[in-house]
């Protein structure tokens, strides 16, 4: 069985996050009408951060595929900036918010 390349998996994850976001906004919930709307929930904030992160991952993969083999120094410099943005976003936003969300969930679960 052939393995699926990571680029295909990242595109699939990005599309799933975007579809969840669209369906989440389509559901009428009483909390959407209050102050802060859905942005006051950590799960929604984490969903948006993860969708943006995987969007940057897909953009990085496409850029690396398009600039492969070209000797253009400017394109390689831009690609390095994009990779550092991806790494920064994982280290500062995506991973800590996701871990904090799971920690809060398990704390509530174990409290019962």
């Amino acid at each position: 069985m052939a393995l699926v390349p990571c680029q295909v998996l990242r595109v699939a994850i990005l599309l799933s996050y975007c579809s969840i976001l669209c369906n989440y906004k389509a559901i009428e919930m009483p909390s959407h009408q209050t102050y802060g709307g859905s942005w006051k929930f950590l799960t929604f904030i984490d969903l948006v951060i993860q969708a943006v992160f995987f969007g940057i991952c897909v953009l990085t993969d496409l850029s690396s595929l398009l600039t492969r083999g070209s000797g253009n120094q400017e394109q390689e410099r831009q690609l390095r900036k994009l990779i550092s943005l991806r790494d920064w976003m994982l280290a500062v936003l995506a991973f800590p918010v996701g871990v904090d969300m799971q920690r809060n969930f398990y704390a509530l679960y174990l409290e019962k």
Side-chain angles (χ1 to χ4, degrees):
M1 185 167 91
L3 294 176
V4 179
C6 67
Q7 292 90 356
V8 175
L9 289 176
R10 287 181 179 162
V11 169
I13 291 170
L14 175 66
L15 291 175
S16 67
Y17 277 134
C18 291
S19 68
I20 291 170
L21 277 173
C22 292
N23 288 335
Y24 185 82
K25 296 305 269 182
I27 297 172
E28 286 296 322
M29 295 173 60
S31 61
H32 288 177
Q33 310 303 327
T34 61
Y35 180 75
S38 56
W39 287 99
K40 64 183 171 187
F41 300 115
L42 186 60
T43 53
F44 182 75
I45 294 170
D46 184 46
L47 181 66
V48 171
I49 289 172
Q50 294 289 334
V52 170
F53 171 71
F54 277 102
I56 292 173
C57 287
V58 169
L59 185 63
T60 303
D61 289 341
L62 288 176
S63 297
S64 66
L65 287 174
L66 294 175
T67 60
R68 185 179 298 168
S70 69
N72 192 348
Q73 296 294 331
E74 179 65 25
Q75 287 179 346
E76 290 178 8
R77 189 173 64 82
Q78 294 294 333
L79 181 61
R80 282 195 302 269
K81 283 184 181 180
L82 196 58
I83 290 171
S84 66
L85 174 68
R86 179 195 66 191
D87 294 342
W88 175 85
M89 188 160 182
L90 176 66
V92 174
L93 292 175
F95 184 74
V97 172
V99 168
D100 186 48
M101 187 180 74
Q102 285 181 341
R103 183 178 55 89
N104 289 338
F105 173 75
Y106 288 121
L108 289 174
Y109 178 73
L110 293 176
E111 233 175 58
K112 291 182 179 182

